[in-house]
Amino acid sequence: METPIRIIGIDPGLRRTGWGIVETIGNSLRFVASGTITSDAKYDLASRLCQLHEGLTGIVHAHKPDEAAVEQTFVNKDAVATLKLGQARGIALLVPALAGLPVAEYAPNAVKKAVIGVGHGEKKQIHMMVKVLMPKATFDTDDAADALAIAICHTHHRQSAQARAAFAGR
């Protein structure tokens, strides 16, 4: 009997970081939990990053995922906003890495393609497909739904990545 693999998907953001946890056994997929970590815009950047770090650390400790997947950042026209997003993304990569988890990264188009079948789609389509794939899934924000989509994307790609790594090791 196969052991379930618990995956946390993380959609990084300075204001809101979405997280979603799924379990996969073979081809089956099960919703575990999802939510959103927020930082207080009244605080300075360092304090906001601490809020994200503390929140995400609590989620990782509470749900004990085996692997993590984080969405890659796209570059905005606003360089300052892009830099802040990159710093929040650093927290999203650091927390699972400090917990000893392997961390995969996926471009937004790869996530959309894995979940809805095409690389360009609307948020509504992603939310609908997350509910189709996991009818018991609940999410409080778009960020949490996106995080579940990132975790789903990782379930699709992790087996091929493991096969490539095993083949390369021969």
Side-chain angles (χ1 to χ4, degrees), residues 89-165:
R89 191 170 171 278
I91 298 298
L93 292 165
L94 177 67
V95 169
L98 286 173
L101 304 180
V103 181
E105 299 175 62
Y106 297 99
N109 286 349
V111 173
K112 290 175 184 173
K113 189 167 186 170
V115 176
I116 61 176
V118 292
H120 301 280
E122 302 291 321
K123 287 212 180 272
K124 275 188 186 178
Q125 291 174 295
I126 293 170
H127 298 179
M128 182 188 74
M129 282 307 297
V130 166
K131 288 298 276 182
V132 166
L133 294 168
M134 296 180 303
K136 294 182 180 180
T138 58
F139 35 87
D140 57 356
T141 64
D142 287 347
D143 305 291
D146 290 347
L148 285 169
I150 294 161
I152 291 167
C153 175
H154 184 63
T155 66
H156 291 240
H157 290 280
R158 67 180 296 279
Q159 291 173 334
S160 59
Q162 286 175 335
R164 283 192 303 275

Side-chain angles (χ1 to χ4, degrees), residues 53-115:
H53 183 274
E54 289 168 5
L56 199 51
T57 298
I59 298 304
V60 168
H61 287 336
H63 291 282
K64 302 189 181 340
D66 300 301
E67 299 175 10
V70 178
E71 188 170 63
Q72 292 175 340
T73 304
F74 60 91
V75 178
N76 292 317
K77 291 178 184 175
D78 180 354
V80 174
T82 300
L83 184 58
K84 287 179 181 178
L85 176 58
Q87 291 168 327
R89 191 170 171 278
I91 298 298
L93 292 165
L94 177 67
V95 169
L98 286 173
L101 304 180
V103 181
E105 299 175 62
Y106 297 99
N109 286 349
V111 173
K112 290 175 184 173
K113 189 167 186 170
V115 176

